[in-house]
Amino acid sequence: MDGNKDDALKCLEIGKEALESGDRSRALKFITKARRLDPTLSVDDLLSAAEKDEPNKTAAGGSTTATASNESKVRQRGSSSSSSSSSSSYTEEQISIVREIRKKKNYYEILGLEKSCSVEDVRKAYRKLSLKVHPDKNKSPGAEDAFKAVSKAFQCLSNEESRSKYDVTGTEEPLYERRSSSRNRHGYYNYNDDLDPDEIFRQFFFGAGMRPATTQFRSFNFGAGMGGPRTDHNGSGFNFRALIQLLPVLLIFLFNFLPSSEPIYALSRSYPYEYRFTTQRGVNFYVKSTKFEKDYLPGTHEREALEAKVEKDYVSVLVQNCRFELQRKQWGFVRETPHCEMLQQFQDGESVA
């Protein structure tokens, strides 16, 4: 029993020290232990002092736990919101239409048309689908492939010759012969050219010449009149197709011996237009030779007239690109229209920076 009393006194001393240092939890623990070892000890006042702030501390601990729990929930909601925001960049409808198009191989099925459809029906179907699956508006997986499929179907079915051959063979490869160049330099829309999907889209919605201008004001256009093999009406078996295919080469060969009909300048640098000059208003243009300075002396009427023509062509390019940007902005593809701003500044009399 005396041993318990000694232990009780030790515990009591530890409890008092803890109470004085402000550690009420430790004080309560040892004072309670002291009473248990020696019930005769008078520790009621000490227990009251130790227990006085303990409930508040417990409540505070509960509040802290609740706060931590709330913060965890907030973080979870934030994470969920972020994930939802990421997935909401495209809708279920957009995913569905992309999947449907990618499952189909037949051009008519891709556009949702019958074989008896008219060219106008093909155009309407392309207008509707291309806007739905264009990668700038549809961010769902596979949208780019769907856009290519729609463009390829439209390219084939909108051309009478390629469509008639497709109807016979059912091949995915357009039966018109592909050219080595993806487009003619003048920008005229030609279904017989091997155009990329974006080019088809631009030409369809913005018209010939409504793609971003390349600022080239030169080149020859031989058209797309290369049809299938023909035989003259006299039955001689002369191959007109071979002649037509050789015609561009023959013409280029002949043009090399004729006086040059190419413009004096170009607005962008490309061979052989590699020497840069600048108009009074800061528009850059490129010529083929440094002899230009001698042929068009600064300050002469000829030089001023040429520079006026350069600036007129420059404005035409800005107008063309401005219209293109406004159309894309209207459909939500872009927000800024830098070429429109450049056009306005130039028309207000400012020089090109």
Side-chain angles (χ1 to χ4, degrees):
M1 182 68 67
D2 291 337
N4 288 343
K5 287 186 177 180
D6 291 338
D7 291 337
L9 291 174
K10 290 180 181 179
C11 289
L12 182 62
E13 288 297 323
I14 294 173
K16 288 180 179 179
E17 292 175 359
L19 188 63
E20 290 174 357
S21 64
D23 190 350
R24 298 182 183 278
S25 177
R26 179 179 174 84
L28 184 61
K29 174 182 176 181
F30 282 94
I31 293 172
T32 303
K33 187 175 182 179
R35 165 175 271 185
R36 188 170 62 251
L37 293 172
D38 186 2
T40 63
L41 289 176
S42 179
V43 294
D44 291 338
D45 294 340
L46 294 174
L47 284 174
S48 298
E51 292 174 347
K52 183 169 60 175
D53 287 343
E54 191 62 21
N56 292 338
K57 188 172 182 180
T58 303
S63 175
T64 302
T65 304
T67 301
S69 176
N70 289 338
E71 288 178 352
S72 175
K73 291 180 180 178
V74 169
R75 284 195 297 270
Q76 291 176 358
R77 286 199 298 270
S79 175
S80 174
S81 174
S82 175
S83 175
S84 174
S85 174
S86 174
S87 63
S88 65
S89 59
Y90 50 85
T91 64
E92 287 295 330
E93 180 183 1
Q94 289 177 321
I95 297 175
S96 176
I97 192 171
V98 167
R99 287 175 179 170
E100 285 298 316
I101 291 174
R102 295 186 67 190
K103 285 193 299 185
K104 299 171 182 176
K105 299 299 182 183
N106 184 278
Y107 288 164
Y108 291 100
E109 293 179 358
I110 289 174
L111 296 180
L113 299 172
E114 300 291 336
K115 289 187 69 174
S116 59
C117 66
S118 65
V119 174
E120 186 59 29
D121 293 332
V122 173
R123 292 177 61 83
K124 288 180 180 179
Y126 173 76
R127 180 187 297 273
K128 178 180 178 181
L129 288 176
S130 63
L131 289 174
K132 287 185 177 181
V133 298
H134 194 289
D136 285 352
K137 291 189 74 80
N138 189 330
K139 304 296 185 181
S140 63
E144 185 173 352
D145 290 336
F147 180 59
K148 289 179 180 178
V150 170
S151 301
K152 193 174 182 181
F154 168 69
Q155 186 181 21
C156 176
L157 300 183
S158 58
N159 178 268
E160 184 177 353
E161 180 185 355
S162 61
R163 177 177 175 177
S164 63
K165 291 187 177 182
Y166 179 79
D167 289 343
V168 173
T169 64
T171 179
E172 292 187 13
E173 193 66 24
L175 299 192
Y176 49 79
E177 294 187 356
R178 295 180 180 271
R179 307 291 182 261
S180 60
S181 173
S182 65
R183 60 178 178 246
N184 59 40
R185 291 187 179 180
H186 281 302
Y188 300 124
Y189 188 31
N190 185 341
Y191 292 130
N192 285 349
D193 287 341
D194 184 16
L195 299 176
D196 61 63
D198 285 326
E199 182 70 9
I200 294 175
F201 184 85
R202 284 193 293 265
Q203 297 291 357
F204 181 86
F205 284 100
F206 308 118
M210 274 303 295
R211 72 172 191 274
T214 59
T215 68
Q216 294 288 356
F217 297 91
R218 55 194 176 82
S219 75
F220 299 102
N221 177 33
F222 298 109
M226 297 184 182
R230 299 178 185 175
T231 304
D232 67 2
H233 297 293
N234 295 327
S236 63
F238 183 78
N239 194 335
F240 280 98
R241 180 183 178 186
L243 176 61
I244 293 174
Q245 288 178 334
L246 289 174
L247 185 59
V249 178
L250 294 174
L251 289 175
I252 293 174
F253 180 77
L254 290 174
F255 282 136
N256 287 331
F257 294 93
L258 294 176
S260 175
S261 60
E262 290 187 337
I264 300 169
Y265 66 89
L267 292 185
S268 61
R269 183 176 181 178
S270 62
Y271 181 82
Y273 296 83
E274 298 182 335
Y275 299 94
R276 188 182 71 177
F277 289 87
T278 306
T279 69
Q280 292 294 323
R281 296 190 61 186
V283 178
N284 292 328
F285 63 99
Y286 298 83
V287 299
K288 294 185 287 186
S289 172
T290 53
K291 290 175 61 179
F292 169 81
E293 195 82 56
K294 297 179 180 178
D295 297 336
Y296 293 87
L297 293 173
T300 62
H301 174 73
E302 290 78 7
R303 179 66 172 267
E304 291 176 356
L306 181 74
E307 291 189 1
K309 180 70 166 56
V310 170
E311 292 173 356
K312 182 179 178 181
D313 287 340
Y314 174 74
V315 169
S316 297
V317 172
L318 292 182
V319 169
Q320 183 175 339
N321 286 331
C322 176
R323 290 175 181 170
F324 178 73
E325 289 173 344
L326 290 175
Q327 288 283 1
R328 288 176 63 83
K329 183 178 181 180
Q330 181 180 353
W331 287 331
F333 292 156
V334 297
R335 294 183 179 180
E336 305 295 331
T337 54
H339 287 94
C340 296
E341 296 175 5
M342 292 167 62
L343 175 62
Q344 185 62 51
Q345 292 173 357
F346 194 80
Q347 291 177 336
D348 289 344
E350 297 183 24
S351 298
V352 179

